[in-house]
Every structure is written in C-alpha cells, then in structure tokens.
Amino acid sequence: MFNKRSMPEIILEILQTEGKRKTHIMYRTALTYPQLTRYLDVLMDRGLIEKKADGSGGEVFKVTDRGHDLSKHLSLATSYLGLGDYDEKTA
C-alpha cells in the first residue's frame, strides 16, 4: 500500500525488538545508524526503553512497562489502519 513507513510503525518495530543490541535493532528495522540512534535517544528520553549491560561488555535495549503499553496501542492502531502485519500477541 505505502512504500514509506510512518514514525509510529518504526517505533513499533523498535519496541518489538526486546532485549537486543543496537546493531540487531538496526538490521531488523532497516534503519541507518544515525536514524536508529535518534529514535533510541527519543525513546529513552521518554522512558519507553532503557539501556542495560548484557554481561559480555555490550549493551542491550529493554522495553519499559510504559513502552509495552505504547507497543500495544500502536499495534492496535496499525492493525485498524491496515498499515502493517504485526503480531497480535502484543495487542
């Protein structure tokens, strides 16, 4: 239907990559490093994700309770609008 993804669709994709490193999120969401960094900064500033150490010296991004709530709402909205094929488990 649309070639470009909307900001809510991109945010939903990021929120659905629970507990992953920045590189994994970047590849899964098909964002460039600068784009992903901007999104992650915004999501962290708003308390939707947090950065945690992963035990091997790296960092992973965890979705907060507030982020899970937003993910559920975005998933419902995108499914109502027919914007993407997202898991119903998050709805």
Side-chain angles (χ1 to χ4, degrees):
M1 187 166 139
F2 299 107
N3 291 334
K4 294 178 82 175
R5 295 174 292 171
S6 65
M7 183 182 288
E9 287 177 292
I10 293 170
I11 290 171
L12 179 58
E13 287 180 21
I14 293 170
L15 293 175
Q16 289 177 335
T17 56
E18 173 73 33
K20 301 294 182 186
R21 289 181 176 213
K22 189 181 278 191
T23 305
H24 180 88
I25 299 169
M26 185 175 72
Y27 288 130
R28 182 159 188 260
T29 59
L31 294 172
T32 65
Y33 187 83
Q35 288 172 324
L36 177 64
T37 300
R38 282 193 304 268
Y39 275 100
L40 292 176
D41 288 344
V42 167
L43 294 174
M44 283 190 292
D45 288 345
R46 286 165 175 73
L48 301 169
I49 61 172
E50 55 191 14
K51 198 184 314 186
K52 299 276 189 176
D54 71 353
S56 65
E59 296 174 331
V60 294
F61 293 87
K62 299 280 188 177
V63 180
T64 64
D65 289 339
R66 189 172 173 193
H68 283 292
D69 289 342
L70 178 62
S71 178
K72 289 176 188 176
H73 292 293
L74 287 175
S75 182
L76 280 173
T78 55
S79 68
Y80 289 156
L81 296 171
L83 295 177
D85 299 319
Y86 296 102
D87 296 342
E88 290 299 321
K89 68 179 181 177
T90 59

